[in-house]
Amino acid sequence: MTETTVAATGADTFTVAGQTFSSRLLVGTGKYKDFEETARAIEISGAEIVTVAVRRVNVSDPSQPMLVDYVSPKKYTYLPNTAGCYTADDAVRTLRLAREAGGWDLVKLEVLGDQKTLYPNMPETLKAAEALIRDGFKVMVYCSDDPIQAKMLEDMGCVAIMPLGSLIGSGHGILNPVTIRLIKEQSSVPVLVDAGLGTASDAAAAMELGCDGVLMNTAIAGAKDPLAMALAMKLAVEAGRLAYLAGRMPKKMYADPSSPLAGLI
């Protein structure tokens, strides 16, 4: 059975840090109107990994509504992230606290440069990644779409590279497909587009580049109908992956008739 046929039957999987997942769509848990909508959107999306901003989402105070009561850690793989951290020290401290609270060692690292762009601060990201890996964390890392920086993070020991498509929450899609493709071609760990996707065609485009998956939050939570968009994203990721495996037709300068010319009357 070919890889394409496997994908078509729904048996296509990807592995990160020794864990195998069927869904290549990872989703965030913020920005929804309430935890009920969060849980329903995640269920419809088919995602198996959910990111949790541990500085913003309650996962440890039982006196307040808790995400774990709606999105079970027994059903989904929680991926604590460092959203809102602007220094390596803050990011490392945040994830150490998350591990103490929930025992999580598979984490998503992001160290932001400023509040206006939320662009990754790469020197601080590299510093934090080194410290976390030394502490035994399995680091999936949000980074710029720079192949050199991405390779440095992989060589350091990060378990997944997550270049931005465009600015977080911008909805602009993938602005630099060439560099995303370069990162994918050089990487031996999963590459997932993280940030900036706005609609289903953006998700499909990421997968058609050969990426192993996509992570999104605002694209679903910020839609007029988040539940419908969750399904759209699920289908887009599946379609884009299958199209990549199928191998698109080559682009040509001139027309090429669909029907063969031989045997014409």
Side-chain angles (χ1 to χ4, degrees):
M1 184 179 290
T2 67
E3 188 177 15
T4 306
T5 306
V6 168
T9 62
D12 182 43
T13 61
F14 86 103
T15 301
V16 58
Q19 298 184 57
T20 300
F21 302 94
S22 297
S23 174
R24 294 173 179 271
L25 174 60
L26 291 67
V27 296
T29 54
K31 300 187 177 181
Y32 292 94
K33 66 180 181 181
D34 52 38
F35 281 151
E36 286 88 352
E37 184 179 69
T38 304
R40 186 69 180 128
I42 292 171
E43 181 181 14
I44 291 172
S45 76
E48 296 167 298
I49 302 176
V50 298
T51 64
V52 181
V54 293
R55 299 187 76 181
R56 299 172 180 166
V57 176
N58 179 29
V59 293
S60 59
D61 181 3
S63 67
Q64 301 293 327
M66 295 178 64
L67 178 66
V68 294
D69 293 331
Y70 298 84
V71 180
S72 173
K74 295 180 180 179
K75 181 178 180 180
Y76 300 98
T77 295
Y78 269 44
L79 185 66
N81 72 47
T82 56
C85 292
Y86 293 86
T87 68
D89 289 344
D90 279 350
V92 171
R93 186 182 308 112
T94 296
L95 291 177
R96 285 173 177 165
L97 290 172
R99 182 162 63 180
E100 290 179 11
W104 298 296
D105 61 2
L106 179 64
V107 297
K108 180 197 165 190
L109 170 65
E110 57 183 83
V111 185
L112 307 176
D114 60 56
Q115 293 185 1
K116 184 176 182 179
T117 67
L118 301 183
Y119 203 81
N121 181 325
M122 291 310 300
E124 290 293 292
T125 297
L126 289 160
K127 179 181 175 182
E130 184 176 26
L132 290 167
I133 292 167
R134 191 167 56 241
D135 277 1
F137 285 94
K138 301 169 185 176
V139 179
M140 301 174 68
V141 58
Y142 167 66
C143 60
S144 61
D145 57 345
D146 178 341
I148 304 305
Q149 300 274 18
K151 189 61 177 173
M152 292 173 67
L153 289 164
E154 179 180 353
D155 291 345
M156 181 182 294
C158 292
V159 299
I161 306 301
M162 307 177 75
L164 79 170
S166 52
L167 299 183
I168 291 174
S170 70
H172 285 302
I174 298 176
L175 297 182
N176 297 309
V178 172
T179 54
I180 297 293
R181 180 70 185 188
L182 288 173
I183 291 171
K184 173 56 188 172
E185 288 183 355
Q186 75 182 10
S187 300
S188 58
V189 298
V191 174
L192 303 97
V193 170
D194 177 13
L197 304 187
T199 191
S201 57
D202 297 333
M207 299 308 297
E208 288 173 8
L209 287 171
C211 293
D212 297 280
V214 297
L215 188 153
M216 62 183 68
N217 188 178
T218 309
I220 297 176
K224 291 182 179 179
D225 185 339
L227 303 187
M229 187 60 80
L231 178 58
M233 292 302 189
K234 175 181 186 292
L235 298 174
V237 168
E238 292 172 355
R241 173 65 176 171
L242 188 55
Y244 168 72
L245 294 176
R248 64 157 291 147
M249 62 168 284
K251 294 182 179 180
K252 301 174 183 178
M253 184 68 69
Y254 300 104
D256 185 14
S258 299
S259 302
L261 298 177
L264 290 179
I265 297 174

